[in-house]
Amino acid sequence: MLRSETAANDDRQAAALAGLTRYQEAPRRLRRMAPARRRQGRARLRDYGGTGRPVLFVPSLINPPFILDLMEGRSLVRWIAEQGFHAWLLDWGEPRPADHGLDVAGHVERLLLPLLRRFETPPIVVGYCLGGTMSVAAAASGLLAGVATIASPWRFDGYGAAGRKDMAALWGAAKPACAQLGLVPMEVLQSGFWKLDPARTIAKYEAFAAMPEPETGMFVAMEDWANAGAPLTYAAGAELFEQMLADDAPGRGAWRVAGAVVDPLALPCPAIEFVSLSDRIVPAATAIGLPERCDLGAGHVGMVVGSRARAQLWEPLRDWLGSVPIPVTPDLIRGHAALAAREKKRDPGSRPG
C-alpha cells in the first residue's frame, strides 16, 4: 500500500516511514480504566460513577473499549458521568477457546442482555460503531429506557459494490486460517479498514513525521487504539463478513437476535442515531434511518475524541439522554429490580446499576 500510494514521490515515502518510526518509538503512559463491577462470561461492566440514571456505553467488538475513555479531556464516558448520570462502560474482554462459535448475535444474547438485566432500573444504552448495531438488537428486547447509536452501520449495502467486493476478497483469503484458529485476528480487520481509504492511511503518517511535539500524544493514543484489540471469535467474524457485509441481513430486515428479526423502526423505547457525513469507516449511507437523527461533520473517531467532539456529539448526546422519559411500565421496572436483587445476593460485593 505504501509503494502504490507513494510510487511517484520518494520524498513522500520517506516521510511516511519516518512518521511510522516516530509512532513506534513514542513513549506511552499507563492507561487506567475504571474498575469492573459486573461480569458475564468474559465481558465486564466498568463503573465510572456519577449520580442519576444509568447510562451504559457499548463499544464495538472491533478495537478496545478505551476510545470512549481515551485520555484526560477526551473521555466521553467520564464526561457523561459528570453531567448527572451514572456512567458504565462495557468491556467485551478477550475471547476464550470455548467462544469460537459465538457470533455477533450471540454476543448480544449471551453477554449483553444478561448484563442489562442486572440493572435495578432500565438503563439507557449508547452504542459506538458495531456496538450501536448490537445495542439496537438489545433495545428490541424491551429492557432499555432508550438507545443511542454513534457511527453505527445497519444498511451494509451502503458500503457500495466495490467496497463490499474488497471485503469479500479479504475474507476469502483469510477465512481458512481463521477457521483453523477459531479467531479472526485484529490484523485481518485492520487491513480491511486501511483499504477503505489507503491514501489517508499513508498521509496521516507523513503528517505525523513533522507534527509538533505537544500534539503527538493524541495521535499516539488514537493510533494505539486503532491498531489494538482482541481478536473476534470465528463465528462473529464470519457473521460480520458474510451475513452483514455481503448479505446485508440487518438492512434487508433478516437479522435475527434472541429468536426474532430486529426492526430498528419498531423499537419499544426512544432511539436516536448520530451519523458522521464524512465517515470513511462507517459511511453515512449505512445509517439506520431512525426518525431522530443528528448529523455531524467529524470523522469516525474524531466525532468521539476530536477537538470539536464536545460541541458536535457530547453535548447533544447529553441533552438527548436528559430528555429520555423514565419508563412507567411497572412490570419492566419490577423485573429489573428483582433480577438485580438476585444478582446482588449472589455477589454481595458488586454494585447494581
Side-chain angles (χ1 to χ4, degrees), residues 73-89:
R74 303 295 177 101
S75 173
L76 172 56
V77 66
R78 291 183 189 274
W79 187 81
I80 287 295
E82 296 168 356
Q83 305 301 306
F85 302 96
H86 189 158
W88 299 78
L89 176 62

Side-chain angles (χ1 to χ4, degrees), residues 166-241:
D166 287 344
M167 291 291 188
L170 173 68
W171 179 238
K175 183 175 180 178
C178 292
Q180 282 196 318
L181 290 170
L183 297 168
V184 181
M186 179 57 201
E187 290 80 2
V188 173
L189 302 165
Q190 182 67 312
S191 64
F193 294 145
W194 289 341
K195 289 181 178 181
L196 291 173
D197 193 355
R200 184 181 179 279
T201 300
I202 301 304
K204 68 181 179 182
Y205 281 102
E206 287 182 77
F208 184 62
M211 185 177 291
E213 190 63 36
E215 301 174 23
T216 60
M218 181 66 175
F219 180 94
V220 170
M222 290 171 61
E223 285 300 294
D224 280 354
W225 169 79
N227 291 292
L232 290 182
T233 62
Y234 175 76
E239 183 176 16
L240 176 62
F241 280 103

Side-chain angles (χ1 to χ4, degrees), residues 24-43:
Q24 291 171 327
E25 296 176 351
R28 268 78 171 173
R29 292 182 179 180
L30 181 65
R31 178 171 289 103
R32 297 186 183 278
M33 299 183 72
R37 302 293 188 192
R38 293 285 188 184
R39 295 178 182 271
Q40 176 68 27
R42 72 176 196 269

